[in-house]
Amino acid sequence: MESSDFAARRESMIDCQVRGRGITSPRVLDALRQVRRERFVPPELREFAYEDTGLPIAAGQTITQPWIVAMMIDALDLSGGERVLDVGTGSGYAAAVLARIADRVYSVERIAELAGLAGQALKGEGIDNVEIRVDDGSRGWPEKAPFDAILVAAAAQAVPESLKRQLAIGGRLVMPVGDDPEAQELVLVTRLTDEEFDSRDLADVGFVPLLGEEGWQSAEPRRQRGFGRWRVSDADRRLADGIVAAAERFESIDDLPLDGLLSRIGDRRIVLLGEASHGTSEFYRARQRITQALIEEKGFDFVAIEGDWPDAARIDHYVRHAEYPPSEWMAFARFPVWMWRNEEVRGFVDWLRAHNAELDPERRVAFHGLDLYSLYNSIRAVLDYLDEVDPAVAEVARERYGCLVPFQTDPATYARAALHPDYETCEEPVLAMLRDMQSRHREYAEHDGERFLDAMQNARLIANAEEYYRTMFYGSRSAWNMRDTHMFETLENLLRHHGEGSRCVVWAHNSHVGDSEATDMSRRGEFNIGRLCRARFGDQVYSVGFGTDAGTVAAASNWDEPMEIKDVRPSLQGSYERLCHDTGLTAFLLPLSDATNPEVRRGLLVERLERAIGVIYRPESERQSHYFHAALPRQFDEYIWFDRTRAVRPLESVALAGMPDTYPFGL
């Protein structure tokens, strides 16, 4: 491959994998641009040097994927001129990138073969400010200490004390920490004084173990998944045949076999309906059909979606025929617009409004949002409410929420500001506002219980969103758990508000509604709505997952980029999706309980890959970006399969002319 081809791939890697995930430091981006990663991988793998994945190198080790290297170096916050310790030289790539920023890099590698190859690669690239030593990296390099920064490319159960003591005051250390040999938390440690250290979680990662005196004493065996040529086993063929025998087939969504599904749901209080992507028409339309049946035949009281509270409130006022003036913003007009502003959702909204028209106001089915991305719309909603019911408190709220105003165009920038140890966050002002409103519950609720619910939920959302944005920059487990906890608590509040015995349908992604204990998430310390619902409501919960093999999907390549209609690649061998595809059935419902299909359930309990496409879809790195391991029958009570699917149809504004002012998708 010509050097110009590698240069183009390197630039694409920086743009899509690094800058596209929020790393904008000019020093880090320039350093990545200067280092030829292809020189640090085995010659036979050079064509894959800029893929979004780790690659095997000598001595059975791995070169870390470019994005993780960039994230770790970005967290060190180097300004140039530093002395840096690099633990785990490996291929030498990270040391090379560090050397393009720092004054001097000291790199420790326990495997002599790797140290020799890395030294040759660095010399070949003309990098002369890296010194390599073959030794126990868990003990650092005391003779060269103190270090302004330490980067550790291997995982330990805790940060080694030797490394912490070799940090200069104000120095920063980044390394993976955790008990699981396959999943750890990347942490940032800052030395504040001789004895004080600050530690923050950054991201969920999977690194090889740090072997040594202050690390692991021996390498834990790592499960080998998905390597080599795939051969369909006789057991899988029998299992596919078993699925064919157990499945409830259908040809179109109008023909969904709902009687059996409704019987299996029985009198459960909460039905969780998933989706394997945020942009697939069949998933939305199937959820609509099931939800209509639950409302009409079982009297469900409300629908709650993985969408923002104030935007869903626009729909709620419309479908319940509430008096409501035209809004100053369109419902769900923020990225990803197509997720809820599409013809499929519009069809359900119109149906629900017509259904409610025949009912007394107190019996009308409500529509609520569970998510917390609407920080500034929620602030505006609280201020509008307080301006009407308590102008004096509204002024206090403006002052308290004013802390967040500088970040309103891009709330994610608040996360970067909050990382600085001297920055005074907005946590206390927004919590004080929430406490004040809670203390006025009796006074405010007397005006209008529904409006007070709306105002309180927005105030609660602001407090939780502030914490979410404060912790989300590196996408760590704390941000995920914060978001799903907020959505679950909102669901609990809605069940209380709608009264004892109220029943709800939740629309959210499979990754939120399937029990996280049955997936890779649990190993990373993550949990979701499905797990929280199981823990709180037990067998009152029924969860339904969805899947597809191929077709089209509405998605973006990066956050805040335009929607595209993308081809969904055929599912990978060894996945649940490929197993369902191999049945040859176009569409089916598959009950997963032991009582219904014991043999099929036992076969499906063997852990497999499962695909998840969110608002971002990157087919070029699909295995790394969109697949995880799961045990399907522990994740869901039922699975709905569509072999081929198509993208949702985003709403065209011209189609909305002539609608009433209260219409939630207005121009």
Side-chain angles (χ1 to χ4, degrees):
M1 185 178 293
E2 297 293 331
S3 59
S4 59
D5 292 331
F6 280 123
R9 291 189 179 197
R10 184 161 55 252
E11 198 59 44
S12 177
M13 175 271 287
I14 293 168
D15 189 49
C16 297
Q17 299 174 35
V18 181
R19 188 185 290 110
R21 286 169 169 153
I23 302 298
T24 58
S25 164
R27 288 187 179 87
V28 174
L29 299 179
D30 287 347
L32 292 170
R33 192 170 285 114
Q34 293 176 52
V35 177
R36 298 186 294 180
R37 191 171 189 259
E38 66 270 20
R39 299 296 181 177
F40 293 86
V41 301
E44 66 273 15
L45 295 177
R46 283 179 178 170
E47 63 178 298
F48 306 110
Y50 295 103
E51 295 295 310
D52 191 16
T53 184
L55 295 171
I57 55 175
Q61 301 302 300
T62 304
I63 180 175
T64 305
Q65 70 192 91
W67 144 244
I68 298 295
V69 173
M71 177 176 61
M72 294 174 75
I73 295 175
D74 183 65
L76 292 175
D77 198 24
L78 303 175
S79 57
E82 292 91 353
R83 293 165 55 85
V84 179
L85 175 64
D86 172 44
V87 176
T89 312
S91 70
Y93 176 67
V97 178
L98 287 166
R100 295 302 188 188
I101 305 174
D103 177 60
R104 194 77 186 169
V105 178
Y106 299 91
S107 192
V108 184
E109 173 55 59
R110 69 180 182 86
I111 301 174
E113 179 187 3
L114 284 179
L117 292 172
Q120 292 174 23
L122 289 163
K123 183 178 180 181
E125 292 300 289
I127 296 173
D128 59 5
N129 60 335
V130 176
E131 188 174 340
I132 300 177
R133 172 180 183 173
V134 178
D135 206 342
D136 176 1
S138 72
R139 296 182 301 180
W141 198 330
E143 300 88 344
K144 302 294 184 180
F147 300 103
D148 302 299
I150 299 176
L151 185 148
V152 186
Q157 292 173 292
V159 178
E161 283 299 315
S162 291
L163 298 184
K164 291 169 67 175
R165 294 298 168 187
Q166 290 172 38
L167 268 181
I169 303 299
R172 294 154 78 91
L173 175 151
V174 173
M175 74 171 292
V177 173
D179 294 328
D180 193 312
E182 294 188 23
Q184 307 95 30
E185 184 77 12
L186 193 66
V187 300
L188 167 65
V189 175
T190 304
R191 187 168 193 175
L192 305 177
T193 66
D194 282 344
E195 301 300 327
E196 289 183 292
F197 297 85
D198 175 70
S199 181
R200 303 188 185 195
D201 291 346
L202 299 182
D204 302 309
V205 292
F207 276 79
V208 297
L210 176 65
L211 300 180
E213 184 179 320
E214 295 187 45
W216 292 91
Q217 299 308 301
S218 63
E220 292 288 327
R222 297 169 68 88
R223 285 178 285 178
Q224 297 298 307
R225 295 164 156 171
F227 294 100
R229 184 180 299 278
W230 183 266
R231 182 178 66 86
V232 179
S233 68
D234 291 339
D236 277 0
R237 289 192 183 95
R238 289 194 298 271
L239 182 54
D241 291 340
I243 292 173
V244 171
E248 298 181 3
R249 313 178 197 188
F250 59 95
E251 295 300 321
S252 71
I253 290 172
D254 290 338
D255 298 324
L256 264 173
L258 293 175
D259 290 345
L261 175 61
L262 294 181
S263 175
R264 291 186 289 275
I265 290 172
D267 60 358
R268 287 176 171 85
R269 189 179 185 191
I270 301 169
V271 176
L272 307 174
L273 299 180
E275 59 184 355
S277 88
H278 283 318
T280 298
S281 178
E282 284 77 5
F283 301 155
Y284 282 80
R285 290 187 290 127
R287 290 193 303 199
Q288 175 181 342
R289 286 274 291 122
I290 296 167
T291 304
Q292 288 174 356
L294 291 171
I295 290 169
E296 290 180 321
E297 300 185 34
K298 291 184 176 288
F300 273 59
D301 299 282
F302 65 93
V303 179
I305 67 167
E306 183 192 338
D308 294 335
W309 175 271
D311 295 286
R314 289 279 296 142
I315 292 179
D316 184 53
H317 281 78
Y318 178 72
V319 300
R320 286 206 274 173
H321 302 264
E323 292 293 331
Y324 200 75
S327 71
E328 296 178 7
W329 73 91
M330 296 185 295
F332 301 110
R334 175 191 58 79
F335 179 91
V337 174
W338 69 91
M339 182 173 164
W340 298 113
R341 287 180 67 85
N342 58 58
E343 292 287 355
E344 289 78 4
V345 172
R346 182 188 182 189
F348 178 72
V349 167
D350 290 344
W351 175 87
L352 189 54
R353 177 176 168 87
H355 172 82
N356 280 337
E358 306 298 322
L359 302 175
D360 294 333
E362 64 275 8
R363 295 181 53 229
R364 290 172 183 165
V365 179
F367 189 97
H368 299 296
L370 300 176
D371 222 335
L372 49 54
Y373 287 126
S374 59
L375 180 58
Y376 292 96
N377 280 345
S378 290
I379 289 175
R380 179 165 52 180
V382 171
L383 295 177
D384 288 347
Y385 173 78
L386 291 174
D387 279 337
E388 185 175 332
V389 301
D390 198 334
V393 174
E395 288 307 308
V396 175
R398 280 187 170 82
E399 181 178 348
R400 286 170 170 167
Y401 292 152
C403 173
L404 292 164
V405 169
F407 309 100
Q408 60 185 319
T409 57
D410 182 9
T413 58
Y414 176 60
R416 184 177 285 277
L419 286 175
H420 197 283
D422 296 330
Y423 180 77
E424 187 173 346
T425 72
C426 304
E427 179 181 12
E428 183 49 40
V430 298
L431 287 175
M433 196 63 241
L434 176 60
R435 289 193 294 267
D436 278 4
M437 290 187 65
Q438 288 171 329
S439 70
R440 290 170 167 80
H441 176 278
R442 187 179 301 276
E443 175 189 350
Y444 289 171
E446 288 176 356
H447 290 276
D448 184 333
E450 287 289 342
R451 289 201 63 201
F452 178 71
L453 167 72
D454 182 68
M456 276 305 304
Q457 183 55 38
N458 276 305
R460 188 175 291 109
L461 186 154
I462 295 163
N464 287 340
E466 183 277 332
E467 181 178 356
Y468 173 79
Y469 283 115
R470 180 158 36 88
T471 61
M472 61 76 69
F473 184 78
Y474 289 102
S476 71
R477 76 183 73 169
S478 58
W480 173 277
N481 290 347
M482 174 71 232
R483 183 181 171 212
D484 271 54
T485 298
H486 171 84
M487 290 197 282
F488 173 71
E489 290 176 348
T490 301
L491 182 62
E492 281 193 305
N493 290 335
L494 289 169
L495 288 167
R496 283 192 291 269
H497 174 78
H498 284 280
E500 186 177 352
S502 59
R503 306 171 76 184
C504 70
V505 185
V506 174
W507 291 7
H509 198 279
N510 284 352
S511 58
H512 291 294
V513 302
D515 192 334
S516 56
E517 284 294 302
T519 75
D520 282 342
M521 294 170 64
S522 64
R523 298 197 348 263
R524 299 195 299 263
E526 293 177 344
F527 51 79
N528 62 5
I529 300 170
R531 171 89 303 256
L532 294 170
C533 280
R534 292 288 185 198
R536 170 70 175 82
F537 296 102
D539 61 7
Q540 288 299 297
V541 179
Y542 196 86
S543 61
V544 181
F546 289 75
T548 186
D549 177 63
T552 60
V553 67
S557 295
N558 291 294
W559 191 262
D560 267 343
E561 289 190 359
M563 185 209 79
E564 304 171 53
I565 303 299
K566 298 191 172 200
D567 290 329
V568 178
R569 290 189 173 184
S571 53
L572 292 179
Q573 295 281 8
S575 67
Y576 284 110
E577 290 84 358
R578 179 52 63 93
L579 182 65
C580 291
H581 174 70
D582 287 345
T583 65
L585 303 180
T586 19
F588 59 78
L589 274 66
L590 183 66
L592 296 171
S593 73
D594 187 61
T596 310
N597 297 302
E599 290 187 15
V600 171
R601 176 182 168 84
R602 280 195 293 274
L604 292 175
L605 278 171
V606 176
E607 196 175 79
R608 294 173 182 265
L609 291 172
E610 185 180 318
R611 179 162 57 191
I613 299 172
V615 296
I616 306 299
Y617 181 42
R618 297 188 177 108
E620 66 279 2
S621 61
E622 189 175 57
R623 172 60 184 87
Q624 294 77 29
S625 307
H626 300 290
Y627 278 92
F628 58 97
H629 287 85
L632 198 71
R634 291 175 47 229
Q635 188 183 6
F636 301 109
D637 297 298
E638 187 120 0
Y639 193 62
I640 300 181
W641 175 255
F642 297 94
D643 197 61
R644 290 197 66 82
T645 50
R646 59 184 176 84
V648 294
R649 297 164 293 162
L651 279 175
E652 297 291 341
S653 295
V654 293
L656 307 179
M659 298 304 294
D661 285 340
T662 55
Y663 196 66
F665 302 121
L667 297 173

